[in-house]
Amino acid sequence: METPFVKGRNGASPGDLAEPADVLPPNRTPAILEAAKEVAGLLKAGGHRFALAGGVAVYAHGGPGTLQHDVDFCVLPEDTEAVTATLAAAGLEVFEPPEDWLLKSRSEGQDVDLIFQLAHAPVSPELLDRAEVLSVESVQMPVLAATDLLVGRLTAFTEHYCDFGAVLPIARTLREKIDWHRVRRECGSEPMPAAFLYLLERLHVIEPEEPGHGNRTRQGT
């Protein structure tokens, strides 16, 4: 007598149960790093001022080593036309997305963002002056300072986007390179960054700021 098939508690068939529950995304880190190196090389050869930003910049500083997103570069607003011409001459298409604070390109099959407005303000020569020259897979390039990277993440927090989980590993791994007094001074008066700084204190990632030193991120401390 044939044994009747009984579905599992979730209603799945045996074939369904054989499928893996979670499928890991492909490892895009090598391609993203190659894209960063190619575009940085073109920008350097073209004599443009720039700095690596975003997740690849965090990686260059020693942060989390798995990259799954795009490559970000900061450029001066007045240089966008010249940067576009340099990349186009090398065969890379540059186009304007709906957002009005960056240009987009592609390299090695990866998205490349050319950002000329960061944290609601134009990219400035002072921001690029603070960049640190670091090696990205043996290619030297200017990389945004760790403090500027964190300030940019915190100032992007809103009531509709406030992903502490994405920024916490950055704060942990780069904490020795971050000017926390400056972070508090520039971000600590806003509720979402202040809440994140308080979380870092409770997790013992950073020490509470001493009374009377700069702006407090918490009332009554």
Coordinates of all heavy atoms in Angstrom, one line a residue, residues 31-53 56-57 60 71-75 83 86-87 90 92 105-108 111-114 132-143:
A31 N 35.3 42.5 -7.5 CA 34.9 43.4 -8.6 C 34.8 44.8 -8.1 O 35.2 45.7 -8.8 CB 33.6 42.9 -9.2
I32 N 34.3 45.0 -6.9 CA 34.1 46.4 -6.4 C 35.5 47.0 -6.2 O 35.7 48.2 -6.5 CB 33.3 46.3 -5.1 CG1 31.8 46.0 -5.4 CG2 33.4 47.6 -4.3 CD1 31.0 45.8 -4.2
L33 N 36.4 46.2 -5.7 CA 37.8 46.8 -5.5 C 38.5 47.1 -6.8 O 39.2 48.1 -6.9 CB 38.6 45.8 -4.6 CG 38.2 45.6 -3.2 CD1 39.0 44.5 -2.5 CD2 38.3 46.9 -2.4
E34 N 38.2 46.3 -7.8 CA 38.8 46.5 -9.1 C 38.2 47.8 -9.7 O 38.9 48.6 -10.3 CB 38.6 45.3 -10.1 CG 39.4 44.1 -9.8 CD 40.9 44.4 -9.9 OE1 41.3 45.1 -10.9 OE2 41.7 44.0 -9.0
A35 N 36.9 48.0 -9.5 CA 36.3 49.2 -10.0 C 36.8 50.4 -9.3 O 37.1 51.5 -9.9 CB 34.8 49.1 -9.8
A36 N 37.0 50.3 -8.0 CA 37.6 51.5 -7.2 C 39.0 51.8 -7.8 O 39.3 53.0 -7.9 CB 37.7 51.1 -5.8
K37 N 39.8 50.8 -8.0 CA 41.2 51.0 -8.5 C 41.1 51.6 -9.9 O 41.9 52.5 -10.2 CB 41.9 49.7 -8.5 CG 42.2 49.2 -7.1 CD 43.2 48.0 -7.1 CE 42.7 46.8 -7.8 NZ 43.7 45.7 -7.8
E38 N 40.3 51.1 -10.8 CA 40.3 51.7 -12.1 C 39.8 53.1 -12.1 O 40.5 54.0 -12.8 CB 39.3 50.9 -13.0 CG 39.2 51.5 -14.4 CD 38.2 50.8 -15.3 OE1 37.3 50.1 -14.8 OE2 38.3 50.9 -16.5
V39 N 38.8 53.5 -11.4 CA 38.3 54.9 -11.5 C 39.2 55.8 -10.8 O 39.5 56.9 -11.2 CB 36.9 54.9 -10.9 CG1 36.4 56.4 -10.8 CG2 35.9 54.1 -11.7
A40 N 39.8 55.3 -9.6 CA 40.8 56.2 -8.9 C 42.0 56.4 -9.8 O 42.5 57.6 -9.8 CB 41.2 55.5 -7.6
G41 N 42.4 55.4 -10.6 CA 43.6 55.6 -11.5 C 43.3 56.7 -12.5 O 44.1 57.5 -12.9
L42 N 42.0 56.6 -13.1 CA 41.6 57.6 -14.1 C 41.6 59.0 -13.5 O 42.0 60.0 -14.1 CB 40.3 57.2 -14.7 CG 40.3 55.9 -15.5 CD1 38.8 55.6 -15.9 CD2 41.1 56.1 -16.8
L43 N 41.0 59.1 -12.3 CA 40.9 60.4 -11.6 C 42.3 61.0 -11.3 O 42.5 62.2 -11.5 CB 40.1 60.3 -10.4 CG 38.6 60.0 -10.6 CD1 37.9 59.8 -9.2 CD2 37.9 61.0 -11.4
K44 N 43.2 60.1 -10.9 CA 44.6 60.6 -10.6 C 45.3 61.0 -11.9 O 45.9 62.1 -11.9 CB 45.4 59.5 -9.9 CG 45.0 59.2 -8.5 CD 46.0 58.5 -7.7 CE 46.2 57.1 -8.2 NZ 47.2 56.3 -7.4
A45 N 45.1 60.2 -12.9 CA 45.8 60.6 -14.2 C 45.2 61.9 -14.8 O 45.9 62.6 -15.4 CB 45.6 59.4 -15.2
G46 N 43.9 62.1 -14.5 CA 43.3 63.4 -15.0 C 43.6 64.6 -14.1 O 43.2 65.7 -14.5
G47 N 44.3 64.4 -13.0 CA 44.6 65.5 -12.2 C 43.5 66.1 -11.4 O 43.5 67.2 -10.9
H48 N 42.5 65.3 -11.1 CA 41.3 65.7 -10.4 C 41.4 65.5 -8.9 O 42.1 64.6 -8.4 CB 40.0 65.0 -10.9 CG 39.8 65.0 -12.3 ND1 39.5 66.2 -13.0 CD2 39.8 64.1 -13.3 CE1 39.4 65.9 -14.3 NE2 39.6 64.6 -14.5
R49 N 40.9 66.4 -8.1 CA 40.8 66.3 -6.7 C 39.6 65.4 -6.3 O 38.5 65.6 -6.8 CB 40.7 67.6 -6.0 CG 41.9 68.5 -6.2 CD 41.9 69.6 -5.1 NE 42.1 69.0 -3.8 CZ 41.9 69.6 -2.6 NH1 41.6 70.9 -2.6 NH2 42.1 69.0 -1.5
F50 N 39.9 64.4 -5.5 CA 38.8 63.4 -5.1 C 39.2 62.7 -3.9 O 40.3 62.8 -3.4 CB 38.6 62.4 -6.3 CG 39.7 61.4 -6.4 CD1 39.6 60.1 -5.8 CD2 40.9 61.7 -7.1 CE1 40.7 59.2 -5.9 CE2 41.9 60.8 -7.2 CZ 41.8 59.5 -6.6
A51 N 38.3 61.9 -3.3 CA 38.5 61.0 -2.2 C 37.6 59.9 -2.3 O 36.4 60.1 -2.6 CB 38.4 61.8 -0.9
L52 N 38.1 58.7 -2.0 CA 37.2 57.5 -1.9 C 36.3 57.7 -0.7 O 36.7 58.2 0.4 CB 38.1 56.3 -1.7 CG 37.5 54.9 -1.7 CD1 36.8 54.6 -3.0 CD2 38.5 53.8 -1.3
A53 N 35.1 57.2 -0.9 CA 34.1 57.4 0.2 C 33.3 56.1 0.4 O 33.7 55.0 -0.3 CB 33.1 58.5 -0.1
V56 N 33.8 51.2 0.6 CA 35.2 50.9 0.2 C 36.2 51.7 1.0 O 37.2 51.3 1.3 CB 35.3 51.1 -1.3 CG1 36.7 50.6 -1.7 CG2 34.3 50.3 -2.1
A57 N 35.8 53.0 1.3 CA 36.6 53.8 2.2 C 36.7 53.2 3.6 O 37.8 53.2 4.2 CB 36.1 55.2 2.2
A60 N 39.1 50.4 3.4 CA 40.5 50.9 3.3 C 41.1 51.3 4.6 O 42.2 51.1 4.9 CB 40.6 52.1 2.3
V71 N 30.7 51.7 -5.5 CA 31.9 52.4 -5.2 C 31.6 53.9 -5.1 O 30.9 54.4 -6.0 CB 33.0 52.2 -6.2 CG1 34.3 52.9 -5.8 CG2 33.3 50.7 -6.4
D72 N 32.0 54.6 -4.1 CA 31.7 56.0 -4.0 C 33.0 56.8 -4.0 O 34.0 56.5 -3.3 CB 31.0 56.3 -2.7 CG 29.7 55.6 -2.6 OD1 28.9 55.6 -3.5 OD2 29.4 54.9 -1.5
F73 N 32.9 57.9 -4.8 CA 34.0 58.9 -4.7 C 33.4 60.3 -4.5 O 32.4 60.6 -5.1 CB 34.8 58.9 -6.1 CG 35.6 57.7 -6.3 CD1 35.2 56.7 -7.1 CD2 36.9 57.6 -5.8 CE1 36.0 55.6 -7.3 CE2 37.7 56.5 -6.0 CZ 37.2 55.5 -6.8
C74 N 34.1 61.1 -3.7 CA 33.7 62.5 -3.6 C 34.6 63.4 -4.5 O 35.8 63.2 -4.6 CB 34.0 63.0 -2.1 SG 32.7 62.4 -0.9
V75 N 33.9 64.2 -5.2 CA 34.6 65.2 -6.1 C 34.0 66.6 -5.9 O 32.9 66.7 -5.4 CB 34.4 64.8 -7.6 CG1 35.0 63.4 -7.9 CG2 32.9 64.8 -8.0
V83 N 35.6 65.8 -14.7 CA 35.6 64.4 -14.3 C 34.8 63.5 -15.3 O 35.3 62.4 -15.7 CB 35.0 64.2 -12.9 CG1 34.8 62.7 -12.6 CG2 36.0 64.8 -11.9
T86 N 36.9 63.0 -18.4 CA 38.0 62.1 -18.2 C 37.5 60.6 -18.2 O 38.1 59.8 -18.9 CB 38.7 62.3 -16.8 OG1 39.3 63.6 -16.9 CG2 39.7 61.3 -16.5
L87 N 36.4 60.3 -17.6 CA 35.9 59.0 -17.6 C 35.3 58.6 -18.9 O 35.5 57.5 -19.4 CB 34.8 58.8 -16.5 CG 35.3 59.1 -15.0 CD1 34.1 58.7 -14.1 CD2 36.5 58.3 -14.7
A90 N 37.9 57.5 -21.3 CA 38.4 56.1 -21.0 C 37.3 55.0 -21.4 O 37.6 53.9 -21.1 CB 38.8 56.0 -19.6
L92 N 34.1 55.0 -20.1 CA 33.1 54.8 -19.1 C 32.0 55.8 -19.3 O 32.2 57.0 -19.4 CB 33.7 55.0 -17.7 CG 34.9 54.1 -17.3 CD1 35.3 54.3 -15.9 CD2 34.5 52.6 -17.5
S105 N 28.3 56.2 -12.8 CA 29.0 55.5 -13.9 C 29.1 54.0 -13.5 O 28.5 53.6 -12.5 CB 30.4 56.1 -14.0 OG 31.1 55.5 -15.1
R106 N 29.8 53.2 -14.4 CA 30.0 51.8 -14.1 C 31.4 51.4 -14.5 O 31.9 51.9 -15.5 CB 28.9 51.0 -14.9 CG 27.5 51.0 -14.3 CD 26.6 50.1 -14.9 NE 26.9 48.7 -14.8 CZ 26.6 48.0 -13.7 NH1 26.0 48.5 -12.7 NH2 26.9 46.7 -13.6
S107 N 31.9 50.5 -13.7 CA 33.3 50.0 -14.0 C 33.3 48.5 -13.5 O 32.8 48.2 -12.4 CB 34.3 50.8 -13.3 OG 35.6 50.2 -13.4
E108 N 33.9 47.6 -14.3 CA 33.9 46.2 -13.9 C 32.6 45.6 -13.6 O 32.4 44.8 -12.7 CB 34.9 46.0 -12.7 CG 36.3 46.5 -12.9 CD 37.1 45.7 -13.9 OE1 36.7 44.5 -14.0 OE2 38.0 46.2 -14.6
D111 N 28.4 49.6 -10.0 CA 28.0 51.0 -10.0 C 29.1 51.8 -9.3 O 29.7 51.4 -8.3 CB 26.7 51.1 -9.2 CG 25.5 50.5 -10.0 OD1 25.6 50.5 -11.3 OD2 24.6 50.1 -9.4
V112 N 29.3 53.0 -9.9 CA 30.2 54.0 -9.3 C 29.5 55.3 -9.1 O 28.9 55.8 -10.1 CB 31.5 54.2 -10.2 CG1 32.4 55.2 -9.6 CG2 32.2 52.8 -10.4
D113 N 29.5 55.8 -7.9 CA 28.8 57.1 -7.6 C 29.9 58.2 -7.5 O 30.9 58.0 -6.8 CB 28.0 57.0 -6.3 CG 26.8 56.2 -6.5 OD1 26.4 55.8 -7.6 OD2 26.1 55.9 -5.4
L114 N 29.7 59.2 -8.2 CA 30.6 60.4 -8.1 C 29.8 61.5 -7.4 O 28.9 62.2 -7.9 CB 31.0 60.9 -9.5 CG 31.6 59.8 -10.4 CD1 31.7 60.2 -11.8 CD2 33.1 59.5 -9.9
E132 N 42.9 60.9 3.8 CA 44.2 60.2 4.1 C 44.6 59.3 2.9 O 43.7 58.6 2.4 CB 44.0 59.4 5.4 CG 45.2 58.7 5.8 CD 45.0 57.9 7.1 OE1 43.9 58.1 7.7 OE2 45.9 57.1 7.5
V133 N 45.8 59.4 2.5 CA 46.2 58.5 1.4 C 46.5 57.1 1.9 O 47.3 56.9 2.8 CB 47.5 59.1 0.7 CG1 48.0 58.1 -0.4 CG2 47.2 60.4 0.1
L134 N 45.7 56.2 1.4 CA 45.8 54.8 1.9 C 45.9 53.9 0.7 O 45.6 54.2 -0.5 CB 44.5 54.4 2.6 CG 44.2 55.2 3.9 CD1 42.9 54.8 4.5 CD2 45.3 54.9 5.0
S135 N 46.3 52.6 0.9 CA 46.4 51.6 -0.1 C 45.1 50.8 -0.2 O 44.6 50.3 0.8 CB 47.6 50.7 0.2 OG 47.6 49.6 -0.7
V136 N 44.6 50.8 -1.4 CA 43.4 49.9 -1.7 C 43.9 48.9 -2.7 O 44.1 49.1 -3.9 CB 42.3 50.8 -2.3 CG1 41.1 49.9 -2.6 CG2 41.9 51.9 -1.3
E137 N 44.2 47.7 -2.2 CA 44.7 46.6 -3.0 C 45.9 47.1 -3.8 O 46.0 46.9 -5.0 CB 43.6 46.1 -3.9 CG 42.4 45.5 -3.2 CD 42.7 44.2 -2.4 OE1 43.0 43.2 -3.0 OE2 42.7 44.3 -1.2
S138 N 46.9 47.7 -3.1 CA 48.2 48.1 -3.6 C 48.1 49.4 -4.4 O 49.1 49.8 -5.0 CB 48.8 47.0 -4.4 OG 49.0 45.8 -3.6
V139 N 46.9 50.0 -4.5 CA 46.8 51.3 -5.3 C 46.6 52.4 -4.3 O 45.7 52.3 -3.5 CB 45.7 51.2 -6.3 CG1 45.5 52.6 -6.9 CG2 45.9 50.2 -7.3
Q140 N 47.5 53.3 -4.3 CA 47.4 54.5 -3.3 C 46.4 55.5 -3.8 O 46.4 55.8 -5.0 CB 48.8 55.2 -3.2 CG 49.9 54.3 -2.7 CD 49.7 54.0 -1.2 OE1 49.5 54.9 -0.4 NE2 49.9 52.7 -0.8
M141 N 45.5 55.9 -2.9 CA 44.5 56.9 -3.3 C 44.0 57.6 -2.1 O 44.1 57.1 -0.9 CB 43.3 56.2 -4.0 CG 42.5 55.3 -3.1 SD 41.2 54.5 -4.0 CE 42.1 53.3 -5.0
P142 N 43.6 58.9 -2.2 CA 43.0 59.6 -1.1 C 41.7 59.0 -0.6 O 40.8 58.7 -1.5 CB 42.8 61.0 -1.6 CG 42.8 60.9 -3.1 CD 43.6 59.7 -3.4
V143 N 41.5 58.8 0.7 CA 40.4 58.2 1.3 C 39.8 59.2 2.3 O 40.6 59.7 3.2 CB 40.7 56.9 1.9 CG1 39.5 56.2 2.6 CG2 41.3 55.9 0.9

